Amino acid sequence: MPIAYPPTDARAGAHKEPLETVEAGHGGEEQAVVPHFALGTWLNNQKARRAKLTPGQLAQLAEHGVGWA
């Protein structure tokens, strides 16, 4: 399974932390582990950069109930 990385933010040091990792679960089976991710921070960053978002990206945000999109 490929590892997804969160958007980087230059003010936060632009570190890459995996959004999802795969670990061995009970009986050796693989399970996805998702660490805490600051969704509010990501959403505020998107709003601040909305002029750079494509019309498709804005439409997807609007589909999910984002009022400013």
Side-chain angles (χ1 to χ4, degrees), residues 1-4 19-23 30-34:
M1 176 184 309
I3 297 176
L19 284 179
E20 184 177 279
T21 57
V22 178
E23 295 180 0
E30 291 184 350
Q31 65 182 24
V33 177
V34 181

Side-chain angles (χ1 to χ4, degrees), residues 1 7 12-13 15 17 20 23 29 36 39 44-45 51 53 55 60 62:
M1 176 184 309
H15 68 282
E17 179 179 318
E20 184 177 279
E23 295 180 0
E29 61 190 45
H36 172 74
L39 182 59
N44 285 335
N45 286 340
L53 297 175
Q60 286 179 338

Side-chain angles (χ1 to χ4, degrees), residues 41-66:
T41 301
W42 178 84
L43 192 56
N44 285 335
N45 286 340
Q46 300 313 302
K47 184 176 182 180
R49 300 177 185 132
R50 66 182 137 190
K52 295 180 181 180
L53 297 175
T54 66
Q57 290 170 322
L58 288 169
Q60 286 179 338
L61 288 169
E63 286 176 15
H64 292 284
V66 177

